[in-house]
Amino acid sequence: TTGAADSIGFLEFSQLFMSFMSGNTTRFGVSVSRFDWESTSRVASVIVLFCFGAFAGTLIAAWVGRWRLSVLLLLQSVFLTIGLIIPHGSFAFPLHAYPIVIALGLQNATLQDEGGRSLALTYVTGAVVRFGTGLANLMLGTVAPSFWIQAPLWAALSTGAVIGGFLQMRYGEDAFLFPAALSALLAVIA
């Protein structure tokens, strides 16, 4: 769902990333260097809300225990849907993007280990680096068990991004209903 929602958001919200905070951080730096305070506010608010989503998701996951996956996926579905019905806001403060960003921040808490460390679900730079270093370690005979999950994570996010692009071209902003419905379905299954 993350790849699809990020792709849809990027296309719908003038190249604003919903979960790719590295890209938004670069955009933040460029905006500040150009004294473009409207763009700076836009990108900074998204980064802060994504962080808040990860923060809240971690707390919620700790509170609900074994129901973590179901509760967080359901909340993600709700927030993705809310983004379609609230006022759009301004360019500097795209209110309708905020629930979507929070939903994707929350998603990072769905798969955490006992130490509260998340599996990279909304970004791929780490997965690609871990895959590359894992390939080298495989050749050296010291591959970690986590190596085998890196390529599928990247493939899932990439596939979702392609699907999201097609959905956005066909349905516009309503394409967010696809990842919302998928999250709700996965919440019920979990």
Side-chain angles (χ1 to χ4, degrees):
T1 60
T2 302
D6 208 21
S7 180
I8 295 163
F10 183 80
L11 294 168
E12 278 297 316
F13 304 129
S14 302
Q15 299 183 344
L16 182 64
F17 294 105
M18 304 291 100
S19 72
F20 181 52
M21 294 304 117
S22 296
N24 284 338
T25 299
T26 301
R27 300 186 116 227
F28 173 80
V30 169
S31 296
V32 170
S33 72
R34 293 184 175 175
F35 304 105
D36 182 350
W37 304 123
E38 187 178 41
S39 180
T40 299
S41 297
R42 178 177 200 246
V43 177
S45 64
V46 166
I47 293 168
V48 167
L49 287 171
F50 184 84
C51 183
F52 172 76
F55 166 81
T58 299
L59 290 178
I60 292 165
W63 291 332
V64 300
R66 72 182 198 95
W67 296 99
R68 163 195 299 153
L69 189 57
S70 295
V71 169
L72 289 173
L73 285 169
L74 183 59
L75 285 171
Q76 180 182 339
S77 178
V78 167
F79 276 106
L80 287 168
T81 304
I82 288 171
L84 293 172
I85 58 176
I86 68 170
H88 282 213
S90 64
F91 179 82
F93 298 100
L95 300 178
H96 60 306
Y98 292 164
I100 296 160
V101 170
I102 291 170
L104 297 179
L106 282 170
Q107 188 180 58
N108 286 286
T110 56
L111 297 177
Q112 291 181 335
D113 64 15
E114 299 77 31
R117 292 177 302 271
S118 296
L119 192 59
L121 295 176
T122 62
Y123 53 95
V124 295
T125 302
V128 172
V129 168
R130 284 187 296 278
F131 184 73
T133 58
L135 283 174
N137 287 328
L138 182 64
M139 289 179 61
L140 297 171
T142 60
V143 68
S146 63
F147 164 73
W148 302 105
I149 191 70
Q150 304 308 319
L153 283 174
W154 177 83
L157 195 64
S158 299
T159 301
V162 171
I163 291 168
F166 284 126
L167 289 169
Q168 188 278 335
M169 286 190 300
R170 175 91 166 114
Y171 300 107
E173 191 175 17
D174 289 341
F176 281 117
L177 290 173
F178 172 77
L182 183 57
S183 293
L185 176 65
L186 291 173
V188 169
I189 292 169

PDB file of all heavy atoms in Angstrom, residues 2 21 28 55 66 87-88 96 99 101 117 119 130 180 182:
ATOM      1  N   THR A   2       2.025   1.199   0.603  1.00  0.00           N
ATOM      2  CA  THR A   2       2.863   2.393   0.702  1.00  0.00           C
ATOM      3  C   THR A   2       3.312   2.896  -0.654  1.00  0.00           C
ATOM      4  O   THR A   2       3.231   4.087  -0.933  1.00  0.00           O
ATOM      5  CB  THR A   2       4.102   2.108   1.576  1.00  0.00           C
ATOM      6  OG1 THR A   2       3.654   1.692   2.855  1.00  0.00           O
ATOM      7  CG2 THR A   2       4.967   3.333   1.717  1.00  0.00           C
ATOM      8  N   MET A  21      10.647  10.487   2.916  1.00  0.00           N
ATOM      9  CA  MET A  21      11.104  11.677   3.618  1.00  0.00           C
ATOM     10  C   MET A  21      12.501  12.111   3.195  1.00  0.00           C
ATOM     11  O   MET A  21      12.857  13.274   3.347  1.00  0.00           O
ATOM     12  CB  MET A  21      11.032  11.482   5.137  1.00  0.00           C
ATOM     13  CG  MET A  21       9.607  11.332   5.652  1.00  0.00           C
ATOM     14  SD  MET A  21       8.525  12.722   5.210  1.00  0.00           S
ATOM     15  CE  MET A  21       7.311  11.903   4.184  1.00  0.00           C
ATOM     16  N   PHE A  28      13.111  20.225   1.034  1.00  0.00           N
ATOM     17  CA  PHE A  28      13.164  21.207   2.115  1.00  0.00           C
ATOM     18  C   PHE A  28      14.433  22.045   1.989  1.00  0.00           C
ATOM     19  O   PHE A  28      14.396  23.274   2.050  1.00  0.00           O
ATOM     20  CB  PHE A  28      13.121  20.487   3.474  1.00  0.00           C
ATOM     21  CG  PHE A  28      13.327  21.394   4.653  1.00  0.00           C
ATOM     22  CD1 PHE A  28      12.288  22.163   5.146  1.00  0.00           C
ATOM     23  CD2 PHE A  28      14.565  21.475   5.274  1.00  0.00           C
ATOM     24  CE1 PHE A  28      12.478  22.997   6.232  1.00  0.00           C
ATOM     25  CE2 PHE A  28      14.764  22.303   6.359  1.00  0.00           C
ATOM     26  CZ  PHE A  28      13.717  23.078   6.844  1.00  0.00           C
ATOM     27  N   PHE A  55       5.746   7.983  15.402  1.00  0.00           N
ATOM     28  CA  PHE A  55       5.715   8.092  16.865  1.00  0.00           C
ATOM     29  C   PHE A  55       4.416   7.504  17.419  1.00  0.00           C
ATOM     30  O   PHE A  55       4.429   6.638  18.294  1.00  0.00           O
ATOM     31  CB  PHE A  55       5.851   9.579  17.240  1.00  0.00           C
ATOM     32  CG  PHE A  55       5.517   9.909  18.663  1.00  0.00           C
ATOM     33  CD1 PHE A  55       6.443   9.710  19.671  1.00  0.00           C
ATOM     34  CD2 PHE A  55       4.278  10.442  18.990  1.00  0.00           C
ATOM     35  CE1 PHE A  55       6.145  10.031  20.991  1.00  0.00           C
ATOM     36  CE2 PHE A  55       3.969  10.760  20.298  1.00  0.00           C
ATOM     37  CZ  PHE A  55       4.901  10.550  21.304  1.00  0.00           C
ATOM     38  N   ARG A  66      -0.654  -7.702  20.816  1.00  0.00           N
ATOM     39  CA  ARG A  66      -0.762  -8.668  19.712  1.00  0.00           C
ATOM     40  C   ARG A  66      -1.728  -8.234  18.622  1.00  0.00           C
ATOM     41  O   ARG A  66      -1.740  -8.798  17.534  1.00  0.00           O
ATOM     42  CB  ARG A  66      -1.126 -10.043  20.234  1.00  0.00           C
ATOM     43  CG  ARG A  66      -2.533 -10.188  20.730  1.00  0.00           C
ATOM     44  CD  ARG A  66      -2.761 -11.620  21.268  1.00  0.00           C
ATOM     45  NE  ARG A  66      -4.165 -11.930  21.363  1.00  0.00           N
ATOM     46  CZ  ARG A  66      -4.857 -12.559  20.425  1.00  0.00           C
ATOM     47  NH1 ARG A  66      -4.267 -12.961  19.326  1.00  0.00           N
ATOM     48  NH2 ARG A  66      -6.140 -12.808  20.591  1.00  0.00           N
ATOM     49  N   PRO A  87     -11.049  19.282   3.731  1.00  0.00           N
ATOM     50  CA  PRO A  87     -10.707  20.396   2.821  1.00  0.00           C
ATOM     51  C   PRO A  87      -9.253  20.308   2.354  1.00  0.00           C
ATOM     52  O   PRO A  87      -8.388  19.816   3.084  1.00  0.00           O
ATOM     53  CB  PRO A  87     -10.913  21.635   3.698  1.00  0.00           C
ATOM     54  CG  PRO A  87     -11.796  21.201   4.808  1.00  0.00           C
ATOM     55  CD  PRO A  87     -11.520  19.742   5.027  1.00  0.00           C
ATOM     56  N   HIS A  88      -9.019  20.809   1.162  1.00  0.00           N
ATOM     57  CA  HIS A  88      -7.693  20.704   0.560  1.00  0.00           C
ATOM     58  C   HIS A  88      -6.653  21.584   1.216  1.00  0.00           C
ATOM     59  O   HIS A  88      -5.471  21.271   1.167  1.00  0.00           O
ATOM     60  CB  HIS A  88      -7.759  21.001  -0.931  1.00  0.00           C
ATOM     61  CG  HIS A  88      -8.284  19.829  -1.713  1.00  0.00           C
ATOM     62  ND1 HIS A  88      -7.870  19.550  -2.969  1.00  0.00           N
ATOM     63  CD2 HIS A  88      -9.166  18.860  -1.405  1.00  0.00           C
ATOM     64  CE1 HIS A  88      -8.482  18.464  -3.424  1.00  0.00           C
ATOM     65  NE2 HIS A  88      -9.274  18.030  -2.487  1.00  0.00           N
ATOM     66  N   HIS A  96      -5.380  18.041   3.074  1.00  0.00           N
ATOM     67  CA  HIS A  96      -5.856  16.729   2.640  1.00  0.00           C
ATOM     68  C   HIS A  96      -4.718  15.713   2.482  1.00  0.00           C
ATOM     69  O   HIS A  96      -4.953  14.516   2.470  1.00  0.00           O
ATOM     70  CB  HIS A  96      -6.691  16.835   1.372  1.00  0.00           C
ATOM     71  CG  HIS A  96      -5.962  17.414   0.193  1.00  0.00           C
ATOM     72  ND1 HIS A  96      -5.307  18.623   0.221  1.00  0.00           N
ATOM     73  CD2 HIS A  96      -5.801  16.955  -1.056  1.00  0.00           C
ATOM     74  CE1 HIS A  96      -4.777  18.878  -0.960  1.00  0.00           C
ATOM     75  NE2 HIS A  96      -5.057  17.870  -1.753  1.00  0.00           N
ATOM     76  N   PRO A  99      -3.538  13.539   6.496  1.00  0.00           N
ATOM     77  CA  PRO A  99      -3.943  12.214   7.003  1.00  0.00           C
ATOM     78  C   PRO A  99      -3.243  11.067   6.259  1.00  0.00           C
ATOM     79  O   PRO A  99      -2.939  10.028   6.863  1.00  0.00           O
ATOM     80  CB  PRO A  99      -5.457  12.169   6.764  1.00  0.00           C
ATOM     81  CG  PRO A  99      -5.862  13.585   6.627  1.00  0.00           C
ATOM     82  CD  PRO A  99      -4.690  14.308   6.040  1.00  0.00           C
ATOM     83  N   VAL A 101      -0.190  11.172   4.959  1.00  0.00           N
ATOM     84  CA  VAL A 101       1.182  11.139   5.473  1.00  0.00           C
ATOM     85  C   VAL A 101       1.214  10.473   6.852  1.00  0.00           C
ATOM     86  O   VAL A 101       2.082   9.644   7.129  1.00  0.00           O
ATOM     87  CB  VAL A 101       1.758  12.570   5.525  1.00  0.00           C
ATOM     88  CG1 VAL A 101       3.080  12.604   6.267  1.00  0.00           C
ATOM     89  CG2 VAL A 101       1.917  13.124   4.115  1.00  0.00           C
ATOM     90  N   ARG A 117      12.347  -1.642  16.875  1.00  0.00           N
ATOM     91  CA  ARG A 117      12.932  -1.254  15.592  1.00  0.00           C
ATOM     92  C   ARG A 117      12.022  -1.754  14.469  1.00  0.00           C
ATOM     93  O   ARG A 117      11.629  -2.910  14.448  1.00  0.00           O
ATOM     94  CB  ARG A 117      14.336  -1.835  15.447  1.00  0.00           C
ATOM     95  CG  ARG A 117      15.341  -1.214  16.416  1.00  0.00           C
ATOM     96  CD  ARG A 117      16.712  -1.868  16.310  1.00  0.00           C
ATOM     97  NE  ARG A 117      16.676  -3.300  16.557  1.00  0.00           N
ATOM     98  CZ  ARG A 117      16.813  -3.865  17.763  1.00  0.00           C
ATOM     99  NH1 ARG A 117      16.983  -3.119  18.815  1.00  0.00           N
ATOM    100  NH2 ARG A 117      16.791  -5.167  17.896  1.00  0.00           N
ATOM    101  N   LEU A 119      10.849  -2.685  10.572  1.00  0.00           N
ATOM    102  CA  LEU A 119      11.287  -3.163   9.278  1.00  0.00           C
ATOM    103  C   LEU A 119      10.949  -2.063   8.286  1.00  0.00           C
ATOM    104  O   LEU A 119       9.883  -1.467   8.369  1.00  0.00           O
ATOM    105  CB  LEU A 119      10.519  -4.448   8.939  1.00  0.00           C
ATOM    106  CG  LEU A 119      10.987  -5.295   7.783  1.00  0.00           C
ATOM    107  CD1 LEU A 119      12.424  -5.751   8.012  1.00  0.00           C
ATOM    108  CD2 LEU A 119      10.090  -6.506   7.647  1.00  0.00           C
ATOM    109  N   ARG A 130      21.166  -2.524   2.105  1.00  0.00           N
ATOM    110  CA  ARG A 130      21.318  -3.814   2.791  1.00  0.00           C
ATOM    111  C   ARG A 130      21.361  -4.972   1.795  1.00  0.00           C
ATOM    112  O   ARG A 130      22.038  -5.967   2.014  1.00  0.00           O
ATOM    113  CB  ARG A 130      20.205  -4.001   3.819  1.00  0.00           C
ATOM    114  CG  ARG A 130      20.432  -3.159   5.078  1.00  0.00           C
ATOM    115  CD  ARG A 130      19.432  -3.459   6.172  1.00  0.00           C
ATOM    116  NE  ARG A 130      18.062  -3.132   5.807  1.00  0.00           N
ATOM    117  CZ  ARG A 130      17.534  -1.914   5.880  1.00  0.00           C
ATOM    118  NH1 ARG A 130      18.252  -0.902   6.313  1.00  0.00           N
ATOM    119  NH2 ARG A 130      16.282  -1.704   5.523  1.00  0.00           N
ATOM    120  N   ALA A 180      -6.443   2.249   0.756  1.00  0.00           N
ATOM    121  CA  ALA A 180      -7.295   2.263   1.957  1.00  0.00           C
ATOM    122  C   ALA A 180      -8.062   0.949   2.075  1.00  0.00           C
ATOM    123  O   ALA A 180      -8.108   0.333   3.145  1.00  0.00           O
ATOM    124  CB  ALA A 180      -8.264   3.438   1.910  1.00  0.00           C
ATOM    125  N   LEU A 182      -7.294  -1.929   0.622  1.00  0.00           N
ATOM    126  CA  LEU A 182      -6.344  -3.021   0.824  1.00  0.00           C
ATOM    127  C   LEU A 182      -5.895  -3.080   2.290  1.00  0.00           C
ATOM    128  O   LEU A 182      -5.819  -4.157   2.879  1.00  0.00           O
ATOM    129  CB  LEU A 182      -5.137  -2.873  -0.099  1.00  0.00           C
ATOM    130  CG  LEU A 182      -4.099  -3.983  -0.033  1.00  0.00           C
ATOM    131  CD1 LEU A 182      -4.703  -5.354  -0.323  1.00  0.00           C
ATOM    132  CD2 LEU A 182      -2.959  -3.696  -1.008  1.00  0.00           C
TER     133      LEU A 182
END
